[in-house]
Amino acid sequence: MNRLYLALDVETGADAFCLLERINQKPAVKVGMELFYREGGRFVEQLVDNGYPVFLDIKVHDIPETARRTLRQIGRLGVELTNVHTLGGETMMRYALDGLRDVTDTTKLIGVTQLTSTDERMLSEELNIKGGLEQAVLRQATMAGRAGLDGVVASVHEARAIHQALGSSFLTVTPGIRMNETVDDQVRTATPKAAREAGVSAIVVGRPITRAEDPNAAYEYYLQEWSRTYETNR
């Protein structure tokens, strides 16, 4: 799996297709909650029908039976990757996976651990989770592995420990990819090179591309950096 997912951080489906028209190839894309709640499943199907591999990032987190029914619906959309939140617990993740497998064997299911906006202070003081970020993420990833999930969403900073504990085939999908130390709501960021050196399976890049003056040039630049690093570390 050698994926760079372009996060469609736009308001409408029309905006998304306008952005994609400015890119000279068909990238793998991430559809998040904002766009999915606006446009729904039909929009996701349109992306799939037009040849765009889709990571549907809606972080399902509910009681087990609702998660199962939700993932059964998601499984009908034809996406290659989707996710639940590991804080829903192991039983919820098992139910979600069962619902997905009721309708498809091809869509991979991963679990969100801690968001890239979470720092040590927030984890300890606001969420009252002790032991530090890496240990918290590793516990959640281990629970996802026991539930049968294909991997997790985690930052670059935890990827190596996850693979050491769960193996190289356990997917790590990493958002917060930047070429510099841009300050925004994501505090645990990294470069494509750092991601590959940490053994990350796939990266997600959004605003550095979607807000660029030339999105195609920005996409090509990130893709080259990721691919170059990938080839170097094969």
Side-chain angles (χ1 to χ4, degrees):
M1 183 175 180
N2 178 31
R3 286 288 192 201
L4 186 163
Y5 289 98
L6 170 60
L8 299 178
D9 296 329
V10 295
E11 291 187 0
T12 70
D15 292 338
F17 279 112
C18 284
L19 171 65
L20 291 170
E21 287 173 359
R22 299 179 65 190
I23 296 176
N24 296 335
Q25 56 182 293
K26 291 193 173 181
V29 298
K30 181 182 82 72
V31 175
M33 288 186 284
E34 178 185 9
L35 193 53
F36 185 72
Y37 291 161
R38 170 69 181 258
E39 300 293 349
R42 181 59 193 138
F43 167 70
V44 174
E45 290 174 326
Q46 288 175 330
L47 287 169
V48 173
D49 290 346
N50 280 279
Y52 295 99
V54 175
F55 168 22
L56 183 58
D57 176 26
I58 56 174
K59 304 177 180 70
V60 174
H61 184 182
D62 214 308
I63 62 172
E65 180 61 18
T66 298
R68 182 178 70 83
R69 292 174 179 268
T70 300
L71 266 294
R72 184 183 291 164
Q73 296 299 328
I74 290 173
R76 295 187 172 102
L77 299 178
V79 301
E80 74 170 18
L81 186 66
T82 192
N83 58 12
V84 297
H85 207 300
T86 60
L87 290 178
E90 188 172 336
T91 298
M92 185 211 75
M93 287 189 279
R94 289 185 185 277
Y95 272 59
L97 183 60
D98 286 346
L100 186 64
R101 293 294 169 251
D102 281 345
V103 295
T104 179
D105 292 325
T106 58
T107 299
K108 294 185 182 299
L109 182 62
I110 61 177
V112 176
T113 55
Q114 293 294 327
L115 303 178
T116 52
S117 57
T118 302
D119 58 17
E120 294 284 357
R121 183 205 62 79
M122 182 189 301
L123 189 79
S124 175
E125 297 179 14
E126 296 183 19
L127 302 179
N128 197 32
I129 296 175
K130 306 304 181 183
L133 265 168
E134 182 173 302
Q135 287 304 310
V137 169
L138 188 56
R139 285 194 300 270
Q140 290 169 257
T142 301
M143 184 168 55
R146 289 199 305 265
L149 271 60
D150 296 293
V152 290
V153 179
S155 84
V156 166
H157 308 289
E158 299 92 34
R160 184 171 284 107
I162 290 169
H163 286 298
Q164 287 174 347
L166 296 164
S168 59
S169 63
F170 191 76
L171 301 178
T172 49
V173 179
T174 297
I177 299 299
R178 302 281 190 273
M179 290 298 183
N180 53 43
E181 299 298 323
T182 303
V183 177
D184 55 26
D185 56 334
Q186 291 180 310
V187 297
R188 285 150 55 230
T189 63
T191 65
K193 182 176 186 293
R196 178 54 65 182
E197 289 176 346
V200 165
S201 309
I203 59 174
V204 179
V205 185
R207 285 169 283 188
I209 296 173
T210 60
R211 297 184 182 180
E213 290 187 10
D214 185 343
N216 182 64
Y219 175 77
E220 291 287 351
Y221 180 60
Y222 273 86
L223 186 63
Q224 287 175 7
E225 288 296 308
W226 177 239
S227 298
R228 180 181 302 119
T229 307
Y230 173 76
E231 292 298 332
T232 299
N233 287 274
R234 288 186 69 176

